[in-house]
Amino acid sequence: MRNILITGGAGFIGSHVVRLFCKNYPDYQVYNLDKLTYAGNLENLKDVASACPNYHFIKGDICDIDHLRRIFADHRIDGVIHLAAESHVDRSIKDPFAFAQTNVLGTIALLQAAREYWSSEAGGGMAGKRFYHISTDEVYGSLHDPGTFFVETTAYDPQSPYSASKASSDHFVRAFGNTYGLPIVISNCSNNYGPNQFPEKLIPLFINNIRHGKPLPVYGTGENVRDWLYVVDHARAIDTIFHRGRDGETYNIGGFNEWRNIDLIKVMIRTADRLLGNPEGHSDGLITYVQDRAGHDKRYAIDSTKLHEELGWEPSLQFEEGIEKTIRWYLDNQEWMDNITSGAYEKYYAEMYGNR
Ligand code: NAD
Ligand code: DAU
């Protein structure tokens, strides 16, 4: 495979995947298709855009099938890594339609465009092609019993509009594999953390609030559990699965790294205070318990044994190292954060690429 279409490459995880592919595979042409929603930020890729001649940005919507058809034909796409999505659970509670639109209908449009092109004479058939769909552990629902894990055969039981839309997209991807012989592969990953995450998500939001002495809104009792993986390790897993995963298979990705939210928040406070030169305990009083998220999933925990045993992947970073590195990155890149929180980057890209 040489011409790779990565959707959602201007977002958090997508930007790390684009960087890894552009740098590790200089003989690939990497096309980043992104609508630049509020979550898309080309600043995440400015190093790649200036250093990698094999990187190409295309502004567009995965729901626009005519545009997708042109992209497949013009660039002779033979591999897809699909990350574009609405990704925030709280937003899905406020506006479920946007999630059905992008995550479900957008994924169907992408599947259909791939199928049409690869089964055409110009596309050269399905052999050697790959449609890789990036999904989430949230499709499996919520765990309650300690010591239980999500495995690839766990029944789907999505609980939020976000996870329902991701589950639906997973089903469509498998249906295209089964019905039309599309060479698909899916991975379901746990919570990611690291540089460039949009500051509506727990970790970057709280780091920024600690920095500015603002309240840290802990949902409910803070006892919900998430399983955290460093974003570059997710990108490495995507590289592994894209190149060596078996057609039609699903792989769970996670680092066996569960944290109760409140414990994670205390680690973040302690680390950020130390890095900021504040005395110990300085920011403890910022913790503010607020109304719980509606339908808040209790616990996620991924068993990634299959990925480890079959393809040899394992995380490269211990959590203590990863979280310190991440906090340091946000503190050192205040301008990146300020551009987002002030809305300046949206104005800049609207001028460059037209209205969104
Ligand atoms: P993100 O919100 O940071 O980025 C999403 C990107 O998709 C943005 O650049 C946005 O502009 C783009 N996009 C949105 N709608 C689009 C459309 N209609 N057409 C083209 N581009 C569009 O998301 P993220 O956290 O990087 O997540 C990426 C993918 O990984 C998602 O599919 C998500 O479900 C999945 N995932 C995320 C996590 C996590 O912890 N963040 C964990 C597992 C799986
Ligand atoms: O598990 C993978 C999923 O992880 C991805 O599919 C999603 O795209 C990603 O957003 C993430 O979902 P979560 O809902 O787990 O992530 P979030 O950062 O929004 O919240 C993490 C936990 O922290 C969750 O239990 C809710 C809680 N929380 C979150 C916010 C934003 C708070 O207590 N306060 C907050 O302000």
Side-chain angles (χ1 to χ4, degrees), residues 7-14 33-41 60-63 82-87 102 134-137 162 166 189-192 197-198 200-201 234:
T7 70
F12 167 47
I13 302 170
L33 172 66
D34 199 295
K35 186 180 172 186
L36 298 181
T37 68
Y38 78 93
N41 184 354
D61 188 336
I62 56 164
C63 300
H82 175 35
L83 297 110
E86 290 294 336
S87 69
T102 289
I134 307 301
S135 193
T136 170
D137 60 358
Y162 164 69
K166 291 297 290 187
C189 188
S190 62
N191 285 63
N192 283 213
Q197 188 168 28
F198 194 84
E200 62 188 352
K201 309 279 167 61
H234 188 188

Side-chain angles (χ1 to χ4, degrees), residues 87 136-138 162 191 200 202 217 219 226 261 293 296:
S87 69
T136 170
D137 60 358
E138 299 199 13
Y162 164 69
N191 285 63
E200 62 188 352
L202 178 78
Y219 295 166
R226 295 292 182 267
N261 289 342
R293 172 184 278 173
H296 197 172

Side-chain angles (χ1 to χ4, degrees), residues 268-342:
M268 283 199 283
I269 290 175
R270 209 167 42 241
T271 311
D273 272 342
R274 175 166 50 77
L275 294 176
L276 287 165
N278 294 331
E280 207 179 317
H282 177 83
S283 300
D284 290 355
L286 298 177
I287 291 179
T288 310
Y289 290 94
V290 299
Q291 190 181 358
D292 207 354
R293 172 184 278 173
H296 197 172
D297 285 340
K298 178 79 181 133
R299 172 174 166 254
Y300 305 143
I302 274 276
D303 182 342
S304 54
T305 305
K306 174 177 173 181
L307 177 59
H308 175 66
E309 290 187 347
E310 207 175 283
L311 302 179
W313 173 89
E314 56 185 38
S316 65
L317 217 57
Q318 291 301 310
F319 185 69
E320 289 66 22
E321 193 187 344
I323 195 71
E324 171 146 353
K325 202 170 157 165
T326 299
I327 293 172
R328 205 182 279 281
W329 188 88
Y330 286 101
L331 297 180
D332 288 349
N333 288 273
Q334 193 56 39
E335 199 182 327
W336 179 92
M337 184 67 86
D338 289 346
N339 281 344
I340 290 176
T341 49
S342 70

